[in-house]
Amino acid sequence: MPFVKETFYVEEEIVAFLYVMRTLDYTQGEAQRHIAKGRLLIEGKSMKQTGAKIEGEIEMVFFRPKGKGVKPLFQTEDFMVFEKPSGVLVHPNTMSTPYSMLDEVRLQAGDKANATHRIDMETSGLLLASKHKKAEHHLKQAFEKRTIQKSYLAWVDGEVKEPFSVSEPIKVNQEGYEKTKHKVLIHPEGKEAHTDFIPLEYDASLDASLVACYPHTGRLHQIRLHLFHVKHPILGDPLYGANYEASDRYLDMIQTPQERLIYHGAPRLMLHAHTLQFHYKNPYFIESKEDFVSQKSLIYPKALRKFNQVE
């Protein structure tokens, strides 16, 4: 497990965040975040008051990376690019998460390294990570300003014959999940969102199209929702395209592998982060080396799947 616990003894009373700063060589912000996340414990319980005074025996929880040998596809002195497998989180979502891409990032470049953008757990492909805080700040701002261009590949349900674009606003679903498990919705009160799509290949035996996706905004689940909206949901998508019951069983982690194929069309989300184009001291264009096209072999036969039977 990447999170470990160590015991410390505070000899003289001191403000908690100051002790963490001096002991771990953290900035004030890093120390306060460390405490706010519940990683300072007194008598086994998290103490989240950064300005509280501490003394005596305490424990602190640390992220200690334990990788699986994944090496960067490309790297400089400032950043790295990894090929993230489908099914792997970018960051641990709890202290009990056994493995995430952050393990590989920190093993390569140390505790100051970090992933600079999000990729859904089931999406595979290029992940850009910084090696130090200056690079992290620069790259995260670049993603926010949309100066980093990304493209994706997706295997979708049905035949896509012509290039098309979707400009539909996206709103976070705040009305509960009684009728749908969608995390975001097309809604006139949502934020502006635009995606261009170009068909690349069609497999008639699977009734599935390979589509290149070019998002011009960075909304949550943007590509997935826009493709669902035009009735070409991504194969393997457990939320956008399946009925309520199938999505519910997936989220409750009680769905069988066979159900996953029947109701979602593939054992994974068939979406791949394929290219990154950006400028950091020099211009870069990085393309994934993974053969995502051949992963159409994972798609369940059209005649047997109920993926397209959307309510």
Side-chain angles (χ1 to χ4, degrees), residues 163-196:
F164 65 96
S165 299
V166 180
S167 293
E168 294 288 347
I170 293 176
K171 181 182 179 182
V172 175
N173 182 6
Q174 297 176 329
E175 300 175 358
Y177 298 92
E178 290 80 11
K179 295 182 180 180
T180 174
K181 293 295 182 178
H182 298 179
K183 291 187 177 182
V184 290
L185 306 167
I186 299 293
H187 196 283
E189 296 178 2
K191 294 182 178 180
E192 175 188 3
H194 179 89
T195 317
D196 294 327

Side-chain angles (χ1 to χ4, degrees), residues 7-248:
T7 301
F8 296 81
Y9 191 83
V10 184
E11 295 185 356
E12 296 183 3
E13 188 178 72
I14 187 173
V15 175
F17 79 83
L18 287 175
Y19 180 80
V20 175
M21 286 178 64
R22 295 171 184 176
T23 304
L24 305 183
D25 192 27
Y26 280 0
T27 65
Q28 181 174 334
E30 290 170 339
Q32 289 174 329
R33 284 191 295 273
H34 184 85
I35 296 169
K37 289 178 179 179
R39 295 180 183 174
L40 189 155
L41 298 88
I42 297 175
E43 296 182 351
K45 296 182 180 180
S46 292
M47 196 285 293
K48 298 183 179 182
Q49 298 172 298
T50 61
K53 293 183 177 180
I54 57 175
E55 187 178 10
E57 188 174 281
I58 66 167
E59 294 175 302
M60 283 198 277
V61 177
F62 303 93
F63 182 84
R64 291 287 184 259
K66 187 177 181 181
K68 297 184 178 182
V70 178
K71 301 297 182 184
L73 172 68
F74 178 82
Q75 63 179 315
T76 70
E77 63 181 5
D78 300 302
F79 65 83
M80 306 167 283
V81 178
F82 288 86
E83 296 267 20
K84 187 187 87 67
S86 174
V88 178
L89 290 164
V90 172
H91 288 96
N93 53 13
T94 70
M95 286 194 286
S96 61
T97 299
Y99 174 74
S100 70
M101 288 305 298
L102 190 62
D103 286 278
E104 306 296 352
V105 170
R106 294 274 171 89
L107 274 177
Q108 289 291 325
D111 290 343
K112 302 296 184 181
N114 201 12
T116 59
H117 60 118
R118 66 171 183 261
I119 301 180
D120 291 341
M121 181 181 74
E122 288 208 0
T123 302
S124 57
L126 300 183
L127 174 68
L128 180 59
S130 57
K131 287 187 173 182
H132 50 79
K133 290 299 179 181
K134 184 178 179 181
E136 179 181 355
H137 177 74
H138 176 92
L139 292 170
K140 284 185 174 180
Q141 278 205 326
F143 275 109
E144 290 176 6
K145 294 177 180 177
R146 307 304 300 167
T147 58
I148 296 181
Q149 298 174 358
K150 298 185 288 183
S151 78
Y152 293 75
L153 296 175
W155 280 104
V156 305
D157 189 55
E159 183 177 9
V160 180
K161 296 182 179 180
E162 301 289 341
F164 65 96
S165 299
V166 180
S167 293
E168 294 288 347
I170 293 176
K171 181 182 179 182
V172 175
N173 182 6
Q174 297 176 329
E175 300 175 358
Y177 298 92
E178 290 80 11
K179 295 182 180 180
T180 174
K181 293 295 182 178
H182 298 179
K183 291 187 177 182
V184 290
L185 306 167
I186 299 293
H187 196 283
E189 296 178 2
K191 294 182 178 180
E192 175 188 3
H194 179 89
T195 317
D196 294 327
F197 299 96
I198 299 175
L200 301 176
E201 179 181 324
Y202 175 64
D203 190 307
S205 65
L206 295 171
D207 190 26
S209 296
L210 178 69
V211 179
C213 316
Y214 300 91
H216 295 277
T217 48
R219 310 304 175 206
L220 177 67
H221 293 180
Q222 177 175 318
I223 294 172
R224 296 165 66 177
L225 183 58
H226 277 175
L227 284 167
F228 170 71
H229 179 70
V230 296
K231 303 188 186 307
H232 289 293
I234 299 174
L235 290 158
D237 195 325
L239 301 182
Y240 304 91
N243 60 40
Y244 178 95
E245 290 75 14
S247 294
D248 200 35

Side-chain angles (χ1 to χ4, degrees), residues 70-71 73 82-86 124-126 153 268 272-274 287-295:
V70 178
K71 301 297 182 184
L73 172 68
F82 288 86
E83 296 267 20
K84 187 187 87 67
S86 174
S124 57
L126 300 183
L153 296 175
R268 56 155 291 190
H272 184 75
H274 186 59
E287 185 173 26
S288 170
K289 303 303 180 186
E290 292 294 320
D291 184 10
F292 178 73
V293 176
S294 69
Q295 290 208 22

